[in-house]
Amino acid sequence: MQIKLKFLGAAQNVTGSRHMLEANGVRVLIDCGLYQERQFRDRNWEPFPIKPKSIDAVLLTHAHLDHCGLLPKLVREGFRGKIYCTDATAEIARIILLDSAHLQEEDAEHKRRRHEKQGRKGPYPEVPLYTTQDAEACFPHFKTVKYQQTIEINNTVKATFCDAGHVLGSSMIKVDVKHNSQQRSVLFSGDIGRPDRPIVRDPNIPENVDYVVIESTYGDREHKPTGDVKDDIADVVNSTKKAGGNIVVPSFALERAQEILYYINELLLENAIPHLKIFLDSPMASRITKVFEQHPELYDEEMTEFIKQHQSPFKLPNLKMAGTSDESKAINHIKESIMIIAGSGMCTGGRIKYHLVNNITRPESSIMFVGYQAIGTLGRIIVDGAKEVRILGEQYPVKAKIVQIHGFSAHADRNELHKWLSKFKTSPKKIFIVHGESDSAKAFGEYLKGKTNWQVSVPQYQDEVILD
Ligand SMILES: [Zn+2]
């Protein structure tokens, strides 16, 4: 038995998830994500560390860009196999990859103009990392699978997808390898959700796992005890409505926007908030919400029950999905109190910036943050209490109420990750910790060593191990 694992991304960092498993003459890539952390972004431009043509299949855990965002480049550079994932993942990945290609094209054009003006050249050519055409060329490679369905890469290497409970369609993937009379299995956790989240199910507990490659985004901490998320949202809506301002919600397009709508719907049914107009001002979030509506088979029990008793939480009577930029601009002329949900989630781009410009100087308005704000982003600067911020080239005093609602994370924390591993019927032979900043991954390793007698390793970029 010889299985080779090579860690090609998200090794002591969070983005660029990419792992290769090689066994019995077959090469499988698990995820092919984009590097988003500034210090690692150059890796997006480097040639693939292994020849794309030599890879037989890609197994995709979910549609977040840091897991699927380099697929167009992989295909352009010669990958010819299938990209296996759930149907919801395929549908959402299409939306996300087209958006990403569009941003890459815009970025390249901005860079070209900037360099021209400054009369200099950057280290890489001023071309998009990949184009819309490249993104479209990778879609025919998608081959959808169902949860618990086993697919054969060849007759000795098989993969089974199960629900990771992270975002709609997200999977953990178990790869089984047979060699003579021996059998080994390697589980790739992808991103692991938390128990009791709205809409998606709790993470699955797979059986007969020998090796685990596990994420550790929150491997060094526990989530803050969350008050009741719904109560917190209701407080913001009610007080802002009373003051006569708007509630501006910077939100990620996948999962977070749909969770907000879910909570708002429940609050309306409970008469805990007034019927105010809600704008989902993100074409990407609107398209992804449609994918959610088309996949009721993926909902958890509460959501299924909710729909039986009421209707889809995504069909609020006062919900408007803004499409064109004119529709988006028209929102600012509405005089009554409204809620505006827009991207990007950390205020680094997108329509949220215009809504911030129109509301951040109004003491009667609220900016309600519902997601993680990375250091250096406009969202983080606002959350950290800046008195003045620069948005779209202008300075604005921060007068609006700034609220951060905790309890929305889609990643299991240290304790929840350990609990999840502890539910496995048999102890794994070894755990490889990935997809966490170096400190977080190492701290999670120490934490596991303190709690168990498992073998634990925190691989580095391009490390290679042989599993027996
Ligand atoms: Zn994710």
Side-chain angles (χ1 to χ4, degrees):
M1 172 67 67
Q2 217 186 48
I3 302 172
K4 195 202 283 179
L5 263 189
K6 197 162 174 158
F7 300 92
L8 300 171
Q12 301 198 23
N13 74 297
V14 182
T15 63
S17 233
R18 201 164 54 166
H19 314 295
M20 192 194 68
L21 180 146
E22 193 173 337
N24 298 348
V26 171
R27 274 183 169 174
V28 186
L29 193 66
I30 294 86
D31 287 343
C32 188
L34 189 76
Y35 281 96
Q36 293 168 299
E37 295 139 300
R38 191 163 297 203
Q39 70 268 41
F40 297 114
R41 270 190 228 155
D42 277 1
R43 285 188 196 161
N44 291 328
W45 294 90
E46 291 166 4
F48 275 88
I50 29 169
K51 266 202 179 129
K53 214 176 177 173
S54 71
I55 301 165
D56 296 279
V58 173
L59 309 174
L60 179 60
T61 60
H62 66 291
H64 274 145
L65 214 50
D66 61 326
H67 291 258
C68 75
L70 272 189
L71 285 170
K73 187 172 177 252
L74 185 79
V75 171
R76 191 185 61 207
E77 291 181 5
F79 172 72
R80 293 287 169 265
K82 291 193 174 79
I83 300 165
Y84 293 97
C85 61
T86 63
D87 44 7
T89 295
E91 287 160 36
I92 299 168
R94 279 190 187 105
I95 298 167
I96 284 184
L97 288 175
L98 285 174
D99 181 73
S100 170
H102 181 67
L103 289 177
Q104 302 289 349
E105 288 165 345
E106 275 186 353
D107 272 4
E109 184 54 25
H110 285 158
K111 208 193 282 174
R112 193 187 61 74
R113 279 201 226 134
R114 199 172 61 233
H115 287 173
E116 205 175 71
K117 219 167 138 188
Q118 297 164 344
R120 68 179 183 97
K121 272 202 165 324
Y124 295 99
E126 293 125 346
V127 292
L129 181 62
Y130 50 83
T131 61
T132 301
Q133 221 177 358
D134 294 328
E136 275 164 356
C138 85
F139 302 152
H141 293 261
F142 280 97
K143 172 93 180 136
T144 60
V145 297
K146 301 243 173 290
Y147 286 136
Q148 310 303 337
Q149 183 191 336
T150 298
I151 49 145
E152 291 195 355
I153 313 295
N154 75 5
N155 55 2
T156 58
V157 181
K158 296 173 188 187
T160 311
F161 286 61
C162 17
D163 201 334
H166 169 61
V167 294
L168 195 81
S170 67
S171 309
M172 44 186 88
I173 303 170
K174 191 169 82 149
V175 181
D176 288 297
V177 179
K178 253 192 190 158
H179 189 77
N180 299 328
S181 58
Q182 285 186 311
Q183 180 155 342
R184 294 281 182 275
S185 71
V186 187
L187 177 72
F188 295 86
S189 77
D191 288 353
I192 304 179
R194 309 180 64 192
D196 301 323
R197 299 294 308 146
I199 310 173
V200 290
R201 298 193 186 119
D202 289 356
N204 192 281
I205 316 289
E207 287 182 3
N208 306 321
V209 175
D210 297 305
Y211 300 95
V212 186
V213 178
I214 188 173
E215 72 129 318
S216 59
T217 314
Y218 290 98
D220 61 346
R221 69 203 109 145
E222 272 139 48
H223 291 306
K224 281 188 187 154
T226 55
D228 193 321
V229 171
K230 254 165 61 184
D231 284 352
D232 294 348
I233 297 174
D235 284 349
V236 178
V237 174
N238 288 322
S239 62
T240 314
K241 167 96 178 158
K242 209 169 148 196
N246 293 333
I247 303 124
V248 177
V249 189
S251 172
F252 302 109
L254 169 54
E255 205 69 31
R256 197 58 39 89
Q258 293 78 28
E259 285 177 349
I260 302 269
L261 295 178
Y262 178 91
Y263 284 129
I264 294 288
N265 208 326
E266 282 201 332
L267 287 167
L268 285 169
L269 287 165
E270 291 162 14
N271 274 325
I273 54 169
H275 281 260
L276 75 174
K277 282 194 182 121
I278 298 161
F279 292 88
L280 184 57
D281 189 18
S282 157
M284 183 156 74
S286 304
R287 281 196 284 272
I288 292 175
T289 304
K290 286 204 182 87
V291 178
F292 272 65
E293 288 182 300
Q294 283 154 7
H295 289 283
E297 78 284 1
L298 299 177
Y299 300 161
D300 66 0
E301 263 174 54
E302 288 90 346
M303 176 79 164
T304 309
E305 193 54 35
F306 186 99
I307 289 182
K308 253 191 227 161
Q309 286 188 18
H310 312 285
Q311 54 161 2
S312 162
F314 310 127
K315 286 207 165 43
L316 292 161
N318 288 333
L319 173 65
K320 300 218 171 359
M321 308 233 185
T324 64
S325 65
D326 281 347
E327 282 170 323
S328 172
K329 282 177 197 149
I331 295 172
N332 295 313
H333 300 300
I334 298 170
K335 289 283 170 259
E336 63 199 278
S337 277
I338 55 171
M339 178 184 260
I340 307 157
I341 305 165
S344 71
M346 300 190 208
C347 310
T348 48
R351 294 180 177 179
I352 191 70
K353 288 199 162 186
Y354 297 95
H355 298 302
L356 287 173
V357 164
N358 285 304
N359 287 280
I360 205 154
T361 57
R362 297 178 64 197
E364 65 274 27
S365 286
S366 300
I367 319 294
M368 184 170 91
F369 287 92
V370 290
Y372 176 71
Q373 305 297 315
I375 292 172
T377 60
L378 176 59
R380 179 63 170 261
I381 293 167
I382 299 173
V383 164
D384 281 348
K387 295 272 174 283
E388 219 180 64
V389 286
R390 192 176 179 82
I391 312 170
L392 299 168
E394 299 274 339
Q395 289 290 124
Y396 295 91
V398 179
K399 296 271 172 67
K401 216 167 123 190
I402 309 301
V403 193
Q404 194 170 20
I405 305 223
H406 297 286
F408 270 101
S409 179
H411 289 269
D413 66 14
R414 174 174 75 171
N415 203 358
E416 290 160 342
L417 288 171
H418 173 234
K419 253 193 195 158
W420 174 73
L421 284 166
S422 317
K423 286 184 191 156
F424 288 20
K425 274 192 188 144
T426 49
S427 298
K429 280 175 190 271
K430 193 163 185 175
I431 314 257
F432 297 95
I433 301 174
V434 296
H435 199 290
E437 280 166 16
S438 193
D439 288 350
S440 181
K442 286 175 185 161
F444 185 53
E446 291 309 311
Y447 180 80
L448 282 185
K449 279 185 204 160
K451 295 258 176 197
T452 67
N453 53 5
W454 301 335
Q455 271 196 61
V456 176
S457 148
V458 183
Q460 287 182 350
Y461 181 52
Q462 303 240 38
D463 270 2
E464 211 175 271
V465 290
I466 304 290
L467 311 178
D468 56 9

